[in-house]
């Protein structure tokens, strides 16, 4: 499966104005299915939700600029080593993120959009997870 950049952008544009609903649903879904990761997150998540939303917006905006996407993901990965995130956590986030997008998009969410987001998340996991592992072993 390849990443259909136009489809990622159009599906995200449809939900981006409701970004706070995406992040609220995302955290609820993540913590419901993975109660053990809740302890990694600070108590007040409002600011954190805005940062997650901003990171997603940047990644989608810069999707065709591979150098920038890789640099952003490597920086995120390195910082996540300090948050106690582990490569093993990525599948959990990879399940909760599309669930949140699908929930907010409703009928506008298609199997094709889901497949493209899954392919993109594979790249995110590889690059962010690689930088995280490197930083964690430094
Ligand atoms: C698509 C993958 C992910 C993205 C885009 C993402 C994005 C972000 C962003 C933008 C921040 C704000 C701080 C910063 O910019 O460094 C953050 C913080 C954080 N992330 Fe992630 N993240 C991802 C995956 C994960 C995973 C797999 C975990 C593991 C459980 C995780 C756990 C955390 C924690 C614990 C914080 C700190 C929160 C706090 O201070 O309360 N993230 N993430």
């Amino acid at each position: 499966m390849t990443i259909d950049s136009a489809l990622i952008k159009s599906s995200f544009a449809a939900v981006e104005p409701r970004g706070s609903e995406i992040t609220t649903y995302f955290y609820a879904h993540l913590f419901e299915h993975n109660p053990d990761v809740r302890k990694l997150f600070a108590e007040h998540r409002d600011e954190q939700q805005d940062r997650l939303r901003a990171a997603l917006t940047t990644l989608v905006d810069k999707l065709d600029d591979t150098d920038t996407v890789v640099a952003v993901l490597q920086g995120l990965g390195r910082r996540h080593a300090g948050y106690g995130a582990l490569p093993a956590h990525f599948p959990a986030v990879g399940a909760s993120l599309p669930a949140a997008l699908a929930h907010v998009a409703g009928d506008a969410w298609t199997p094709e959009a889901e497949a493209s987001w899954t392919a993109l998340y594979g790249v995110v996991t590889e690059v962010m997870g690689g930088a995280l592992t490197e930083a964690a072993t430094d």
Side-chain angles (χ1 to χ4, degrees), residues 40-42 48 51 55 76 79-80 83 85 89 93 121 124 128:
L40 302 178
F41 289 86
Q48 162 59 15
R51 287 191 191 157
L76 270 171
R79 292 198 298 278
H80 277 69
Y83 307 146
H89 292 138
V93 170
Y121 193 73
V124 170
M128 236 178 111

Side-chain angles (χ1 to χ4, degrees), residues 3 5 9 55-77 120 123-125 127-128:
I3 299 168
S5 155
K9 285 175 190 281
L56 289 175
T57 302
T58 303
L59 285 173
V60 173
D61 279 354
K62 304 285 182 198
L63 202 53
D64 302 312
D65 176 355
T66 309
D67 290 351
T68 300
V69 169
V70 168
V72 168
L73 290 175
Q74 287 176 333
L76 270 171
L120 172 60
V123 174
V124 170
T125 300
V127 179
M128 236 178 111

Side-chain angles (χ1 to χ4, degrees), residues 2-52:
T2 51
I3 299 168
D4 181 339
S5 155
L7 185 53
I8 295 272
K9 285 175 190 281
S10 62
S11 57
F12 192 67
V15 296
E16 208 272 341
R18 293 166 61 197
S20 60
E21 282 176 66
I22 300 173
T23 48
T24 301
Y25 190 92
F26 167 77
Y27 284 112
H29 188 278
L30 182 67
F31 296 155
E32 185 188 333
H33 296 277
N34 311 274
D36 53 311
V37 303
R38 185 191 276 269
K39 63 179 182 301
L40 302 178
F41 289 86
E43 202 60 40
H44 299 288
R45 282 194 306 276
D46 290 1
E47 196 183 321
Q48 162 59 15
Q49 296 206 1
D50 289 347
R51 287 191 191 157
L52 174 61

